[in-house]
Each structure stands twice: as structure tokens, then as C-alpha cells.
Amino acid sequence: MTLQERCPIIEFRDLGDERGKLVVIEGNKTIPFEIKRVFYIYGSDPDVVRGQHANRDSEFVLINVAGTSKVRITDGNEEFIASLDRPMIGVYIPKMVWKDMYDFSSDSVLLVLASTHYDGKEYIRDYEEYLREVKK
Ligand code: TYD
């Protein structure tokens, strides 16, 4: 499987009508895990790079519910860039994949759904260490 196949862009259904848009995300249905944690990132300047880590145990779905950003995703071998430019799409990030979020628009609200409660110890924040672990 290619990295891009492992990290698909998920298109959510639009349940909107003349009253406006509605997007619903259900754990283990719309996305491939049960949601244990939700956080969102906003107010990041366009020249900021966030993320810069891989997670040993967590899976994520990233959605720009407002504005736009980009996610550079790599497994140390392949790389691709997900452009989060609509509230209707999210990118799935499995365990042990390195990600950088950047190019935040001034109105960007990046919603992150996670499969775990927060545990700083499962984060790998050193890229060389990541490469060593992922190549094992
Ligand atoms: P960090 O992982 O650097 O954010 P990003 O992935 O956006 O670059 O997190 C910033 C700080 O917030 C860091 O001290 C850890 C803390 N934090 C939590 O306590 N819980 C969480 O769920 C997250 C994502 C971060």
C-alpha cells in the first residue's frame, strides 16, 4: 500500500439543505476509529510549522472546519501533501506516520479527532529517532 493509500482523504457527506451545511462524523463509521479526544488549532501564523511528530499509538483525522492548511505526511520513505481546503474533507493519519501542519490561513481552524487520550510519551518529536523506529 502506498503512503497516500494508508492516509486517505475522507470525503464527508453533506447533510446540508437550504438552511446551511451540516457535516456529521461518527467514530468507527465515518472514520476508522473511536474518538477519544478532540482538539483544534487556530491563530497559527502562515509561517508557523506545527506537528513535527509521529505517534506510536494514536490515529488522527485532521479537518479544516474553517480556512485552509496543508499537512506534509511522510513515513521516512514516501511523502505527500494533503491540502485541507474544505470543511467536507479530512485526512486520516495512522500510527507511526510523521506529520507537519503549515500554510495556515488567518481564518484556519484545524479540528483534530484522535483515537487516544493525550499521553506525551507516545509522541516521537525527533525525526532521526522516528526514522530509526519506523525502519525497524
Ligand atoms: P503539540 O503537540 O506541540 O501541538 P501540535 O501538534 O499542534 O504542534 O502540543 C502543544 C502542547 O499542548 C504540548 O505541551 C502538549 C499539549 N497537549 C496536551 O496537553 N494535550 C493534547 O491533546 C495535545 C494535542 C497537546
Side-chain angles (χ1 to χ4, degrees), residues 28-61:
N28 280 331
K29 282 183 156 183
T30 329
I31 63 168
F33 56 81
E34 200 177 311
I35 300 159
K36 290 248 183 83
R37 176 165 49 122
V38 174
F39 55 94
Y40 44 94
I41 293 165
Y42 63 99
S44 286
D45 286 336
D47 56 346
V48 160
V49 182
R50 302 197 59 125
Q52 302 191 283
H53 45 58
N55 294 73
R56 295 186 182 93
D57 301 322
S58 299
E59 300 163 69
F60 301 96
V61 169

Short mmCIF file of all heavy atoms in Angstrom, two decimals, residues 28-61:
data_model
loop_
_atom_site.label_atom_id
_atom_site.label_comp_id
_atom_site.label_asym_id
_atom_site.label_seq_id
_atom_site.Cartn_x
_atom_site.Cartn_y
_atom_site.Cartn_z
N ASN A 28 -15.83 5.13 14.29
CA ASN A 28 -15.97 3.76 13.77
C ASN A 28 -16.97 3.63 12.63
O ASN A 28 -17.33 2.53 12.23
CB ASN A 28 -16.38 2.77 14.87
CG ASN A 28 -15.18 2.34 15.69
OD1 ASN A 28 -14.07 2.33 15.19
ND2 ASN A 28 -15.41 2.02 16.95
N LYS A 29 -17.42 4.77 12.12
CA LYS A 29 -18.32 4.74 10.97
C LYS A 29 -17.73 5.61 9.86
O LYS A 29 -17.23 5.10 8.87
CB LYS A 29 -19.70 5.25 11.35
CG LYS A 29 -20.54 4.23 12.11
CD LYS A 29 -21.91 4.81 12.38
CE LYS A 29 -22.94 3.74 12.59
NZ LYS A 29 -24.27 4.36 12.76
N THR A 30 -17.82 6.93 10.08
CA THR A 30 -17.28 7.85 9.09
C THR A 30 -15.75 7.79 9.07
O THR A 30 -15.12 8.01 8.04
CB THR A 30 -17.71 9.30 9.43
OG1 THR A 30 -18.96 9.28 10.07
CG2 THR A 30 -17.71 10.17 8.22
N ILE A 31 -15.18 7.58 10.24
CA ILE A 31 -13.72 7.49 10.36
C ILE A 31 -13.39 6.16 11.05
O ILE A 31 -14.24 5.63 11.79
CB ILE A 31 -13.13 8.69 11.14
CG1 ILE A 31 -13.66 8.73 12.58
CG2 ILE A 31 -13.46 9.99 10.42
CD1 ILE A 31 -12.90 9.69 13.45
N PRO A 32 -12.19 5.63 10.80
CA PRO A 32 -11.93 4.23 11.19
C PRO A 32 -11.51 4.01 12.64
O PRO A 32 -10.80 3.06 12.92
CB PRO A 32 -10.82 3.82 10.22
CG PRO A 32 -10.11 5.07 9.90
CD PRO A 32 -11.12 6.17 9.96
N PHE A 33 -11.92 4.90 13.56
CA PHE A 33 -11.61 4.65 14.96
C PHE A 33 -12.64 5.34 15.85
O PHE A 33 -13.38 6.22 15.39
CB PHE A 33 -10.18 5.13 15.32
CG PHE A 33 -9.91 6.59 15.02
CD1 PHE A 33 -10.30 7.59 15.89
CD2 PHE A 33 -9.24 6.95 13.85
CE1 PHE A 33 -10.04 8.93 15.62
CE2 PHE A 33 -8.98 8.29 13.56
CZ PHE A 33 -9.40 9.28 14.45
N GLU A 34 -12.64 4.91 17.11
CA GLU A 34 -13.49 5.54 18.11
C GLU A 34 -12.83 6.83 18.57
O GLU A 34 -11.62 6.84 18.83
CB GLU A 34 -13.63 4.58 19.29
CG GLU A 34 -14.81 4.84 20.18
CD GLU A 34 -14.90 3.79 21.27
OE1 GLU A 34 -14.82 2.59 20.93
OE2 GLU A 34 -15.01 4.19 22.43
N ILE A 35 -13.57 7.90 18.66
CA ILE A 35 -12.98 9.21 19.01
C ILE A 35 -12.88 9.33 20.52
O ILE A 35 -13.88 9.29 21.23
CB ILE A 35 -13.84 10.35 18.44
CG1 ILE A 35 -13.93 10.25 16.92
CG2 ILE A 35 -13.26 11.71 18.86
CD1 ILE A 35 -15.11 10.99 16.30
N LYS A 36 -11.63 9.50 21.01
CA LYS A 36 -11.42 9.67 22.46
C LYS A 36 -11.07 11.11 22.81
O LYS A 36 -11.12 11.50 23.97
CB LYS A 36 -10.27 8.78 22.92
CG LYS A 36 -10.55 7.29 22.92
CD LYS A 36 -10.60 6.75 24.35
CE LYS A 36 -10.80 5.26 24.40
NZ LYS A 36 -9.54 4.54 24.22
N ARG A 37 -10.64 11.88 21.79
CA ARG A 37 -10.12 13.22 22.08
C ARG A 37 -10.37 14.11 20.88
O ARG A 37 -10.30 13.64 19.74
CB ARG A 37 -8.62 13.10 22.36
CG ARG A 37 -7.88 14.38 22.59
CD ARG A 37 -6.49 14.11 23.21
NE ARG A 37 -5.76 13.09 22.50
CZ ARG A 37 -4.56 13.26 21.93
NH1 ARG A 37 -3.95 14.41 22.01
NH2 ARG A 37 -3.97 12.26 21.28
N VAL A 38 -10.67 15.36 21.16
CA VAL A 38 -10.88 16.36 20.11
C VAL A 38 -10.07 17.58 20.50
O VAL A 38 -10.12 18.00 21.66
CB VAL A 38 -12.37 16.73 20.01
CG1 VAL A 38 -12.58 17.88 19.03
CG2 VAL A 38 -13.22 15.53 19.63
N PHE A 39 -9.30 18.12 19.57
CA PHE A 39 -8.70 19.42 19.84
C PHE A 39 -8.68 20.23 18.54
O PHE A 39 -8.90 19.67 17.46
CB PHE A 39 -7.30 19.31 20.47
CG PHE A 39 -6.29 18.49 19.71
CD1 PHE A 39 -5.40 19.08 18.81
CD2 PHE A 39 -6.21 17.12 19.92
CE1 PHE A 39 -4.46 18.32 18.14
CE2 PHE A 39 -5.27 16.35 19.24
CZ PHE A 39 -4.40 16.95 18.36
N TYR A 40 -8.49 21.52 18.67
CA TYR A 40 -8.44 22.33 17.47
C TYR A 40 -7.39 23.40 17.61
O TYR A 40 -7.06 23.86 18.71
CB TYR A 40 -9.81 22.91 17.10
CG TYR A 40 -10.62 23.49 18.23
CD1 TYR A 40 -10.55 24.87 18.51
CD2 TYR A 40 -11.45 22.68 18.99
CE1 TYR A 40 -11.31 25.40 19.54
CE2 TYR A 40 -12.20 23.22 20.03
CZ TYR A 40 -12.13 24.58 20.30
OH TYR A 40 -12.87 25.10 21.32
N ILE A 41 -6.84 23.75 16.47
CA ILE A 41 -5.70 24.65 16.38
C ILE A 41 -6.14 25.85 15.56
O ILE A 41 -6.63 25.68 14.44
CB ILE A 41 -4.53 23.92 15.69
CG1 ILE A 41 -4.01 22.77 16.57
CG2 ILE A 41 -3.43 24.90 15.33
CD1 ILE A 41 -3.12 21.79 15.82
N TYR A 42 -5.99 27.03 16.12
CA TYR A 42 -6.29 28.23 15.33
C TYR A 42 -5.37 29.35 15.79
O TYR A 42 -4.69 29.22 16.81
CB TYR A 42 -7.78 28.61 15.46
CG TYR A 42 -8.23 28.99 16.85
CD1 TYR A 42 -8.33 30.33 17.23
CD2 TYR A 42 -8.56 28.01 17.78
CE1 TYR A 42 -8.76 30.67 18.50
CE2 TYR A 42 -8.98 28.35 19.06
CZ TYR A 42 -9.07 29.68 19.41
OH TYR A 42 -9.48 30.03 20.68
N GLY A 43 -5.31 30.41 15.02
CA GLY A 43 -4.44 31.53 15.37
C GLY A 43 -2.97 31.24 15.09
O GLY A 43 -2.10 31.91 15.64
N SER A 44 -2.68 30.25 14.25
CA SER A 44 -1.29 29.98 13.86
C SER A 44 -0.95 30.84 12.65
O SER A 44 -1.69 30.85 11.67
CB SER A 44 -1.10 28.50 13.50
OG SER A 44 -1.08 27.70 14.65
N ASP A 45 0.18 31.53 12.70
CA ASP A 45 0.60 32.38 11.58
C ASP A 45 0.97 31.50 10.37
O ASP A 45 1.34 30.34 10.54
CB ASP A 45 1.81 33.23 11.98
CG ASP A 45 1.38 34.36 12.91
OD1 ASP A 45 0.19 34.74 12.87
OD2 ASP A 45 2.23 34.84 13.69
N PRO A 46 0.91 32.08 9.17
CA PRO A 46 1.18 31.29 7.96
C PRO A 46 2.59 30.72 7.91
O PRO A 46 2.83 29.73 7.22
CB PRO A 46 0.95 32.28 6.81
CG PRO A 46 0.65 33.60 7.42
CD PRO A 46 0.43 33.44 8.88
N ASP A 47 3.54 31.33 8.61
CA ASP A 47 4.93 30.81 8.54
C ASP A 47 5.23 29.80 9.66
O ASP A 47 6.36 29.32 9.77
CB ASP A 47 5.93 31.98 8.58
CG ASP A 47 5.74 32.85 9.80
OD1 ASP A 47 4.68 32.73 10.47
OD2 ASP A 47 6.65 33.65 10.10
N VAL A 48 4.23 29.46 10.45
CA VAL A 48 4.42 28.50 11.54
C VAL A 48 4.32 27.07 11.00
O VAL A 48 3.51 26.80 10.12
CB VAL A 48 3.33 28.74 12.62
CG1 VAL A 48 3.16 27.52 13.52
CG2 VAL A 48 3.64 29.97 13.45
N VAL A 49 5.17 26.20 11.52
CA VAL A 49 5.04 24.77 11.23
C VAL A 49 4.72 24.06 12.54
O VAL A 49 5.47 24.19 13.51
CB VAL A 49 6.34 24.18 10.61
CG1 VAL A 49 6.14 22.70 10.29
CG2 VAL A 49 6.74 24.94 9.36
N ARG A 50 3.60 23.37 12.56
CA ARG A 50 3.19 22.65 13.77
C ARG A 50 3.33 21.15 13.55
O ARG A 50 3.76 20.71 12.49
CB ARG A 50 1.74 22.99 14.12
CG ARG A 50 1.48 24.46 14.34
CD ARG A 50 0.18 24.63 15.07
NE ARG A 50 0.21 23.96 16.35
CZ ARG A 50 -0.04 24.53 17.52
NH1 ARG A 50 -0.34 25.80 17.58
NH2 ARG A 50 0.00 23.83 18.63
N GLY A 51 2.88 20.40 14.52
CA GLY A 51 3.01 18.95 14.41
C GLY A 51 4.46 18.58 14.63
O GLY A 51 4.98 18.73 15.71
N GLN A 52 5.12 18.17 13.54
CA GLN A 52 6.52 17.73 13.60
C GLN A 52 6.68 16.62 14.62
O GLN A 52 7.51 16.67 15.51
CB GLN A 52 7.44 18.91 13.92
CG GLN A 52 7.30 20.01 12.85
CD GLN A 52 8.36 21.08 12.98
OE1 GLN A 52 8.28 21.95 13.85
NE2 GLN A 52 9.34 21.02 12.11
N HIS A 53 5.80 15.66 14.48
CA HIS A 53 5.89 14.48 15.34
C HIS A 53 5.19 13.29 14.70
O HIS A 53 4.40 13.44 13.76
CB HIS A 53 5.32 14.75 16.73
CG HIS A 53 4.01 15.48 16.77
ND1 HIS A 53 2.87 15.02 16.15
CD2 HIS A 53 3.67 16.66 17.33
CE1 HIS A 53 1.89 15.87 16.36
NE2 HIS A 53 2.34 16.90 17.06
N ALA A 54 5.48 12.12 15.25
CA ALA A 54 4.75 10.90 14.92
C ALA A 54 4.25 10.33 16.25
O ALA A 54 4.77 10.67 17.31
CB ALA A 54 5.65 9.90 14.21
N ASN A 55 3.22 9.51 16.16
CA ASN A 55 2.63 8.94 17.37
C ASN A 55 2.68 7.42 17.31
O ASN A 55 2.27 6.83 16.31
CB ASN A 55 1.18 9.41 17.51
CG ASN A 55 1.10 10.89 17.75
OD1 ASN A 55 1.31 11.68 16.83
ND2 ASN A 55 0.82 11.28 18.97
N ARG A 56 3.18 6.85 18.36
CA ARG A 56 3.29 5.38 18.39
C ARG A 56 1.93 4.71 18.49
O ARG A 56 1.74 3.61 17.96
CB ARG A 56 4.14 4.94 19.57
CG ARG A 56 5.59 5.40 19.50
CD ARG A 56 6.42 4.82 20.64
NE ARG A 56 7.79 5.29 20.58
CZ ARG A 56 8.25 6.36 21.24
NH1 ARG A 56 7.43 7.06 22.02
NH2 ARG A 56 9.51 6.73 21.12
N ASP A 57 0.97 5.37 19.15
CA ASP A 57 -0.31 4.70 19.44
C ASP A 57 -1.55 5.41 18.90
O ASP A 57 -2.62 4.82 18.91
CB ASP A 57 -0.50 4.58 20.97
CG ASP A 57 0.63 3.80 21.60
OD1 ASP A 57 1.09 2.82 20.97
OD2 ASP A 57 1.06 4.18 22.71
N SER A 58 -1.43 6.67 18.48
CA SER A 58 -2.63 7.45 18.14
C SER A 58 -2.87 7.49 16.65
O SER A 58 -1.94 7.58 15.85
CB SER A 58 -2.50 8.89 18.63
OG SER A 58 -2.37 8.92 20.02
N GLU A 59 -4.14 7.45 16.31
CA GLU A 59 -4.59 7.74 14.95
C GLU A 59 -5.34 9.07 15.00
O GLU A 59 -5.96 9.39 16.02
CB GLU A 59 -5.55 6.64 14.47
CG GLU A 59 -4.96 5.26 14.44
CD GLU A 59 -6.06 4.20 14.37
OE1 GLU A 59 -6.72 4.10 13.33
OE2 GLU A 59 -6.24 3.51 15.38
N PHE A 60 -5.32 9.78 13.88
CA PHE A 60 -5.95 11.09 13.83
C PHE A 60 -6.72 11.28 12.53
O PHE A 60 -6.40 10.66 11.51
CB PHE A 60 -4.89 12.20 13.87
CG PHE A 60 -4.01 12.20 15.10
CD1 PHE A 60 -2.76 11.60 15.07
CD2 PHE A 60 -4.42 12.81 16.27
CE1 PHE A 60 -1.94 11.59 16.20
CE2 PHE A 60 -3.61 12.82 17.39
CZ PHE A 60 -2.36 12.21 17.36
N VAL A 61 -7.71 12.16 12.58
CA VAL A 61 -8.29 12.74 11.37
C VAL A 61 -8.22 14.25 11.54
O VAL A 61 -8.64 14.78 12.58
CB VAL A 61 -9.73 12.26 11.11
CG1 VAL A 61 -10.38 13.08 10.01
CG2 VAL A 61 -9.74 10.78 10.73
#
